[in-house]
Amino acid sequence: MSKIGFIGLGIMGRPMAGHLLDAGHQLTTVKRGKLDETLASKGIEELDDPRAVAEASDVIITIVPDTPDVEQVLFGEGGVVEGLKPGTLVIDMSSIAPIATQAFAERITDAGGEYVDAPVSGGEGGAINAALTIMVGATEEGFKRARPLLEIMGKTITHIGGHGAGQTCKVANQIVVALTIEAVAEGLLFASKAGADVAKVRESLLGGLAQSKILDVHGERMIQRTFDPGFKIRLHQKDLNLALEGARSLNLALPGTANAQQLFQACAAHGGADWDHAGILRALEALADHEVGS
């Protein structure tokens, strides 16, 4: 049993923390408004700030929205590093910039800790079902220590390489996901505009080469027009910004990624920053002056 400080109880973090509690680990978190009743009933304890959480923990897990949020939690006033004990394992499961991750890892290592970047894929459903894909950047020792905890929250755990490699893999994942969601949206929009039954089109496509989890899950969202997140467009925008910034530094063209980002931006401009990323369909529908299924 480990004493774990878990910081970031959002859509993904809540069920992930719940799995760790169910496995018998002791969890503390930072006090942030009303605590989730389910987690409270399982015994999670609230403390005043990340420093206090670090002082009470042998392992720190963070899953927060963006690079500056991770930096603030770890190194801001009252941050984790101020309460870090020698040998503490710090696992960041956020999706953030790979280069910044390498810098964070160096600072945690210098402070006596062991840093692991372990971003996740699989969305809310994967978090609830403990079926996440987890992409790990760490030393061999860090991965060995983190793996038993990661296996409680995920199904596919891969050690990609050293610090920052997990985040690089996650950026690649988000490129593929964004372009596939766009492709599904365009396919269903085409079928609908041509007068076909989009539900039957999706059913047929699921039996062929176009089959994918995104066609299955997000295709259904598009047809049913259920755009509650899931995974918010504004968070996918953040991830694609990381991809495009990285591409510029690598002198690399990513035209499909740039196009998907523009469609997400169109959604945000129409008040959809907090829609599920399947809501990219709405930007395409506006261009076509046609709503899928109409």
Side-chain angles (χ1 to χ4, degrees), residues 16 27 29 33 160 198 211 218 223 225 267 277:
M16 293 163 68
L27 265 65
T29 191
I160 305 297
V198 288
Q211 192 278 335
H218 293 300
I223 292 169
R225 310 198 68 76
C267 292
H277 51 177

Side-chain angles (χ1 to χ4, degrees), residues 157-198:
I157 295 95
T158 306
H159 186 193
I160 305 297
H163 296 134
Q167 296 295 352
T168 296
C169 184
K170 179 58 187 289
V171 171
N173 178 86
Q174 295 303 81
I175 292 170
V176 173
V177 170
L179 270 63
T180 307
I181 290 176
E182 181 186 349
V184 169
E186 289 191 11
L188 294 181
L189 180 61
F190 171 80
S192 179
K193 183 76 171 181
D197 183 325
V198 288

Side-chain angles (χ1 to χ4, degrees), residues 64-67 93-97 119-120 167 170 238-239 242:
V64 295
D66 205 347
T67 307
M93 305 188 77
S94 318
S95 296
I96 65 170
V120 303
Q167 296 295 352
K170 179 58 187 289
K238 177 261 298 181
D239 293 338
L242 295 176

Side-chain angles (χ1 to χ4, degrees), residues 44-93:
I44 194 170
E45 181 183 357
E46 291 184 300
L47 299 175
D48 288 336
D49 56 25
R51 174 176 57 192
V53 170
E55 289 171 344
S57 305
D58 302 313
V59 179
I60 301 292
I61 297 176
T62 56
I63 180 163
V64 295
D66 205 347
T67 307
D69 302 302
V70 176
E71 185 170 24
Q72 180 63 32
V73 166
L74 295 181
F75 308 112
E77 184 177 354
V80 164
V81 75
E82 294 181 11
L84 197 71
K85 297 180 292 189
T88 298
L89 179 64
V90 178
I91 307 173
D92 178 41
M93 305 188 77

Side-chain angles (χ1 to χ4, degrees), residues 90-258:
V90 178
I91 307 173
D92 178 41
M93 305 188 77
S94 318
S95 296
I96 65 170
I99 293 175
T101 292
Q102 294 171 350
F104 296 166
E106 184 175 354
R107 293 174 70 178
I108 291 295
T109 301
D110 290 345
E114 179 78 56
Y115 191 91
V116 173
D117 53 283
V120 303
S121 180
E124 184 182 12
I128 290 171
N129 296 314
L132 293 167
T133 293
I134 305 177
M135 309 154 226
V136 184
T139 64
E140 291 291 344
E141 176 62 21
F143 179 64
K144 181 179 178 181
R145 291 180 60 190
R147 183 163 192 160
L149 298 176
L150 301 180
E151 287 176 340
I152 294 169
M153 298 176 282
K155 184 176 181 181
T156 302
I157 295 95
T158 306
H159 186 193
I160 305 297
H163 296 134
Q167 296 295 352
T168 296
C169 184
K170 179 58 187 289
V171 171
N173 178 86
Q174 295 303 81
I175 292 170
V176 173
V177 170
L179 270 63
T180 307
I181 290 176
E182 181 186 349
V184 169
E186 289 191 11
L188 294 181
L189 180 61
F190 171 80
S192 179
K193 183 76 171 181
D197 183 325
V198 288
K200 291 182 178 178
V201 168
R202 171 180 163 275
E203 180 182 350
S204 179
L205 294 178
L206 283 170
L209 191 59
Q211 192 278 335
S212 71
K213 186 173 183 178
I214 288 172
L215 176 62
D216 184 11
V217 175
H218 293 300
E220 179 70 8
R221 280 181 179 270
M222 293 172 190
I223 292 169
Q224 298 299 327
R225 310 198 68 76
T226 53
F227 298 119
D228 295 334
F231 187 74
K232 295 178 180 180
I233 280 175
R234 62 180 174 84
L235 295 178
H236 211 145
Q237 284 184 285
K238 177 261 298 181
D239 293 338
L240 295 191
N241 280 338
L242 295 176
L244 294 169
E245 289 165 6
R248 280 192 292 272
S249 69
L250 294 168
N251 197 27
L252 176 67
L254 298 177
T257 302

